[in-house]
Amino acid sequence: MTGGDGRPGPRHFLDLRGIDPDRARALLDRAATLKSGRVEPGWTPPLLGRNLGLVFEKPSLRTRVSFEAAFARLGGSSIFLRGKDVGMGVRESVADFARVISQYVDALAVRTFAHSMLEELAEYAAIPVVNALSDDAHPCQAMADMLTLRELKPDLAGIKLAFVGDGNNVAMSLAEAAALLDVDFVLACPEGYEYPETFTAAFAARFPDVPLQVVHDAREAAEGSDAVYADVWASMGQEHEADQRREIFAPFQVDEDLMDLARPDAVFLHCLPAHRGEEVTSGVLDGPRSRVFQQAANRMYFQMALLEWLVQDRTAEDRLRY
C-alpha cells in the first residue's frame, strides 16, 4: 500500500480484497479470543492514548456504538464527526482532509455512500482507513457474520449460507467473505437485482474456482441451508424506491415456511435494522432460530481484532508522515 505521494502507507480495510484467507481466519481467531476474555497473560489494552476518528455521512446505531466501544475496550478514545459538518470534498478536498485528520487521530472509520471517497482517503491518509459501510462494501459486517457462523458451526467449510435480498453491499461483502472461508454462498433475488457487473467481474478474477451463485427463487436458496440471511429491501439512499421494492420483493420474505426448508438446525441472520413484516416476519426474527443479536454483538469483537491489527503495529515513522 502506498500513499498519494508514493511512500509506503498504512494498512487499510476498505473491502475484503486486501486480505487473504489466512488473514481472515487470523482476525476471526483474534476476535474470538477477545470476546472470550482469554487473552495472553499480562495483556493490557494495546491502544492506550490512541484516538479513532469516526466520520459518518449516514445515520447509524450499531456501527457507531460498536466502533466506539471496540476502541474504548482497546484503551483508546473516539471522536465522532457528522459528514455534513466535515464536508469532505465540499469544504475542502478529500486529500487535504486526509492529510489533516492524519495528524490528529490514529485511525479513521468512515460510513459513506461512494466507495471512491474511501479509496481517495486511503490514498492520502497516513493512518489506517476502515470502511464502516459504503455503497460497494460492508466488510466489517460480513466478517462479524462469519464470526457468528463460526460460533455456531466451528468448521465453516462447506456450510451453506443463503442471502435473500438484492445484490447490495452486504451481499457483495458476504460473497467475498464466504469465498475466503470456503462457505457455500447463494444470493436469492428478483430478476434485475443481481450483483453489479463490475463486482461479478472482479469476483471471477479473484476467485476463478468459486461460482458466484445467484437464483431467483428464495425457496431454492433456502433449501438445505445452514443459515438464511435477510436485509432490508430498500437501503439508505433507496427510500424513493421503497414502494416499488415492497411489491417486487414480496415473494422473498423470510417467514417460518421458508425457514422450514433450511436444515433443522439452521439459523436466521439479519444485519439490522429489520423491517418486520417486510423482509422478515416477527415470528422468525424473534424465534428460536434467530441469532441477530449475537450477530450484532460480534460487530464490536471483530472490529476490536481489526483495529488492534491495523493500529497497534504502526511505526512512529508512519505517524509522523505529514
Side-chain angles (χ1 to χ4, degrees):
M1 181 71 68
T2 59
D5 57 3
R7 287 183 290 176
R11 299 184 184 115
H12 302 293
F13 191 72
L14 307 187
D15 48 45
L16 294 175
R17 295 168 201 164
I19 63 171
D20 59 24
D22 288 342
R23 176 55 58 187
R25 292 188 180 93
L27 287 171
L28 293 183
D29 289 345
R30 186 59 178 165
T33 297
L34 291 167
K35 183 175 182 178
S36 72
R38 295 191 294 272
V39 293
E40 54 272 20
W43 183 84
T44 57
L47 302 185
L48 287 169
R50 306 291 184 90
N51 294 300
L52 172 68
L54 296 156
V55 179
F56 280 29
E57 295 186 318
K58 292 182 175 183
S60 168
L61 167 63
R62 276 155 298 282
T63 300
R64 175 180 176 177
V65 177
S66 63
F67 267 106
E68 291 190 354
F71 214 73
R73 287 180 179 229
L74 295 170
S77 58
S78 305
I79 301 170
F80 180 80
L81 299 162
R82 292 184 299 177
K84 67 179 182 180
D85 296 331
V86 173
M88 275 190 297
V90 179
R91 291 180 60 242
E92 61 183 330
S93 72
V94 174
D96 286 354
F97 171 81
R99 291 176 175 124
V100 170
I101 200 76
S102 293
Q103 300 175 88
Y104 300 149
V105 300
D106 297 278
L108 187 65
V110 181
R111 183 175 172 90
T112 187
F113 293 91
H115 194 77
S116 58
M117 176 178 282
L118 284 165
E119 293 173 332
E120 188 173 0
L121 272 173
E123 182 178 0
Y124 290 98
I127 55 175
V129 177
V130 178
N131 182 354
L133 181 141
S134 70
D135 286 348
D136 291 0
H138 203 358
C140 293
Q141 179 70 58
M143 289 299 290
D145 297 339
M146 290 297 147
L147 177 62
T148 307
L149 284 175
R150 207 176 68 162
E151 290 173 336
L152 303 167
K153 301 180 183 291
D155 185 4
L156 288 179
I159 73 166
K160 181 180 178 183
L161 170 60
F163 184 93
V164 183
D166 67 350
N168 62 13
N169 46 6
V170 176
M172 289 188 278
S173 288
L174 277 173
E176 292 181 316
L180 287 170
L181 297 163
D182 298 324
V183 172
D184 182 15
F185 183 75
V186 58
L187 165 67
C189 67
E191 291 189 19
Y193 290 87
E194 300 86 356
Y195 302 110
E197 291 183 4
T198 51
F199 174 78
T200 301
F203 186 94
R206 185 179 182 195
F207 304 106
D209 299 325
V210 180
L212 195 56
Q213 301 180 75
V214 180
V215 300
H216 300 298
D217 182 344
R219 297 173 63 85
E220 179 182 348
E223 189 167 5
S225 293
D226 296 278
V228 178
Y229 196 125
D231 191 7
V232 294
W233 290 338
S235 299
M236 282 178 281
Q238 297 172 333
E239 290 82 358
H240 61 289
E241 301 177 20
D243 289 342
Q244 179 185 14
R245 281 175 172 258
R246 282 191 198 96
E247 182 176 346
I248 293 172
F249 279 81
F252 291 81
Q253 182 186 69
V254 177
D255 58 15
E256 290 83 343
D257 290 341
L258 191 72
M259 287 300 301
D260 285 344
L261 295 173
R263 290 171 53 88
D265 59 349
V267 297
F268 172 73
L269 301 175
H270 193 302
C271 53
L272 299 177
H275 293 177
R276 294 167 184 262
E278 292 190 9
E279 75 273 5
V280 60
T281 62
S282 290
V284 170
L285 190 66
D286 298 327
R289 294 178 169 186
S290 177
R291 297 292 183 275
V292 298
F293 299 109
Q294 176 181 344
Q295 183 185 3
N298 282 336
R299 286 290 304 276
M300 179 179 70
Y301 295 111
F302 173 74
Q303 288 156 193
M304 285 179 70
L306 176 69
L307 291 165
E308 182 184 58
W309 175 58
L310 293 176
V311 178
Q312 186 176 24
D313 296 335
R314 290 186 61 231
T315 66
E317 184 178 354
D318 286 340
R319 293 192 288 275
L320 296 174
R321 183 172 164 214
Y322 289 116

